[in-house]
Amino acid sequence: MTIHASECLLRLYDEEPELEKYQGGMPRWCSGCGDNAILAAVQRLCRDEKLRPEKTVFVSGIGCSSRLPHYMKTYGFHGVHGRALPVAEGVRMARPDLHVFVVTGDGDCCSIGAAHWIHAIRYNMNLTVLLHDNQIYGLTKMQASPTSPRGLRSNTTPRGSYLEALNPLTVTLGVQNVSFVAQAVDWIPEVLSDIISAAFHHKGLSFVRILQRCPEWLPNHFEWWLNDPQRILLLDHERGIRVSPSLGKVYRNQQPHDPADIDRAREIASVNDPIPVGILYRNPDVPRYEELRHAGQLRTTEFIKAGLEAELDRFTVWPQEKEEEKAAADAALT
Ligand SMILES: Cc1ncc(C[n+]2csc(CCOP(=O)(O)OP(=O)(O)O)c2C)c(N)n1
Ligand code: SF4
Ligand SMILES: [Mg+2]
């Protein structure tokens, strides 16, 4: 049988992208670390959505979780502690054609990066934000984080932490312009994938808090919930995620919740036990900052090149006769 070149090309084009296409280096996380499950879910999403690696960016701060971009064969930016969100916003602003994911830890997002977090919610730029919440500083070896539960013994709180934990869900739901909030746990992969997929498809900032196991510093921390499926409350709705019949047999504690209802979302979010899992809030109509800013302004290649030229011209040492051109270049920037 003769196969023509054009046919080969068509076949190549139609070929399903494999998972390996998105798998970067071998993860260096501890075995049993929940970050591995989150990475697997993210790679499956990229494959299922056939994302082009050169059009996909993972931006992170610093922490064990923030190593995730190294394990993706896409673009990545392993940034500065607490600064994942502003870096991602810059990427989004300059390159609206890219899929931008943000990977951040509970220390990274809710402690040093807290101010950026609040404002990122308000700006509602199109970003998929994954908060790996292991309730501890993992990378720096077990200091309490803002989400550590009261009484948790750590290197910074040897007698147990004194304060009630900050709740990332209620905080996010309290910010003006919030548009998507969900909660997942690393040990129910089916729901984790469904939630990350819904977050990816949301237009605006989708905030997904993922309770993540850190067996190195907090072994057995989530054991109660792992061993008793009744202590997981699955939120089921046609506008949220659907609980499959097989999953429903194990996780019988379910509740219908319409993610359009923000008051109910806040009530659900304030409960820690049972752990609510699903989409708490979704509003696709909240304005997105990058669209407000870019409205009517086409960021064509010519536009970007002209901006670059003008910027470079500012630093050029001009001969006397070019002074007029320099003045014109400066004027173009104002
Ligand atoms: C500006 C700055 N301050 C402090 C640190 C030290 N540091 C690195 S990671 C980290 C906390 C990481 O905890 P978390 O964000 O929860 O991530 P995890 O390791 O648990 O995934 C800290 C305090 C740093 N790298 N840079
Ligand atoms: S220290 Fe904890 S969070 Fe970091 S890789 Fe190990 S298990 Fe994961
Ligand atoms: Mg942490």
Side-chain angles (χ1 to χ4, degrees), residues 207-277:
F207 180 83
V208 184
R209 180 206 196 185
I210 306 166
L211 292 173
Q212 174 238 318
R213 286 167 295 173
C214 171
E216 181 68 16
W217 306 120
L218 299 180
N220 310 324
H221 188 57
F222 291 113
E223 211 69 354
W224 274 17
W225 291 276
L226 268 150
N227 292 336
D228 184 359
Q230 282 300 105
R231 298 179 79 160
I232 297 288
L233 174 66
L234 286 184
L235 306 174
D236 176 80
H237 199 272
E238 58 187 358
R239 283 195 284 270
I241 53 157
R242 301 295 359 205
V243 178
S244 71
S246 54
L247 197 73
K249 282 186 192 150
V250 181
Y251 293 94
R252 293 172 189 278
N253 190 5
Q254 295 169 25
Q255 196 177 95
H257 168 62
D258 182 350
D261 185 347
I262 196 163
D263 295 328
R264 184 68 194 127
R266 286 179 179 136
E267 283 169 17
I268 295 171
S270 59
V271 175
N272 295 320
D273 190 9
I275 295 172
V277 166

Side-chain angles (χ1 to χ4, degrees), residues 46-78:
C46 293
R47 180 202 55 194
D48 295 347
E49 298 294 336
K50 301 184 176 65
L51 298 191
R52 287 165 58 189
E54 73 278 14
K55 289 281 183 189
T56 308
V57 193
F58 282 80
V59 180
S60 66
I62 298 289
C64 294
S65 40
S66 289
R67 289 194 54 77
L68 190 142
H70 292 274
Y71 309 136
M72 295 299 302
K73 233 187 262 168
T74 60
Y75 280 105
F77 195 121
H78 188 181

Side-chain angles (χ1 to χ4, degrees), residues 70-302:
H70 292 274
Y71 309 136
M72 295 299 302
K73 233 187 262 168
T74 60
Y75 280 105
F77 195 121
H78 188 181
V80 182
H81 195 33
R83 273 66 190 171
L85 281 161
V87 170
E89 287 165 332
V91 174
R92 181 83 206 136
M93 204 67 193
R95 292 292 304 274
D97 56 317
L98 304 184
H99 304 290
V100 189
F101 293 82
V102 181
V103 180
T104 180
D106 42 312
D108 199 61
C109 176
C110 310
S111 189
I112 191 170
H116 297 303
W117 166 35
I118 304 293
H119 293 290
I121 303 299
R122 178 168 160 259
Y123 275 56
N124 191 40
M125 296 174 76
N126 199 12
L127 304 168
T128 308
V129 181
L130 306 177
L131 168 61
H132 297 219
D133 190 356
N134 55 6
Q135 308 189 341
I136 197 80
Y137 288 4
L139 188 75
T140 45
K141 302 178 187 252
M142 202 189 177
Q143 295 81 25
S145 92
T147 63
S148 299
R150 188 156 68 92
L152 186 104
R153 288 174 188 269
S154 73
N155 290 336
T156 42
T157 55
R159 295 188 191 86
S161 65
Y162 294 100
L163 299 174
E164 285 300 334
L166 175 148
N167 181 332
L169 300 175
T170 50
V171 171
T172 307
L173 282 164
V175 179
Q176 187 71 33
N177 288 341
V178 58
S179 75
F180 184 108
V181 178
Q183 177 154 265
V185 291
D186 76 50
W187 59 92
I188 313 182
E190 179 184 327
V191 180
L192 176 64
S193 282
D194 286 352
I195 290 175
I196 293 179
S197 169
F200 169 74
H201 286 288
H202 176 72
K203 293 269 175 293
L205 189 144
S206 44
F207 180 83
V208 184
R209 180 206 196 185
I210 306 166
L211 292 173
Q212 174 238 318
R213 286 167 295 173
C214 171
E216 181 68 16
W217 306 120
L218 299 180
N220 310 324
H221 188 57
F222 291 113
E223 211 69 354
W224 274 17
W225 291 276
L226 268 150
N227 292 336
D228 184 359
Q230 282 300 105
R231 298 179 79 160
I232 297 288
L233 174 66
L234 286 184
L235 306 174
D236 176 80
H237 199 272
E238 58 187 358
R239 283 195 284 270
I241 53 157
R242 301 295 359 205
V243 178
S244 71
S246 54
L247 197 73
K249 282 186 192 150
V250 181
Y251 293 94
R252 293 172 189 278
N253 190 5
Q254 295 169 25
Q255 196 177 95
H257 168 62
D258 182 350
D261 185 347
I262 196 163
D263 295 328
R264 184 68 194 127
R266 286 179 179 136
E267 283 169 17
I268 295 171
S270 59
V271 175
N272 295 320
D273 190 9
I275 295 172
V277 166
I279 299 178
L280 285 101
Y281 183 61
R282 165 147 69 181
N283 179 358
D285 299 325
V286 178
R288 294 170 285 275
Y289 182 76
E290 70 269 45
E291 288 167 21
L292 295 175
R293 279 290 303 273
H294 287 160
Q297 190 187 49
L298 262 183
R299 293 176 72 82
T300 57
T301 311
E302 289 68 34

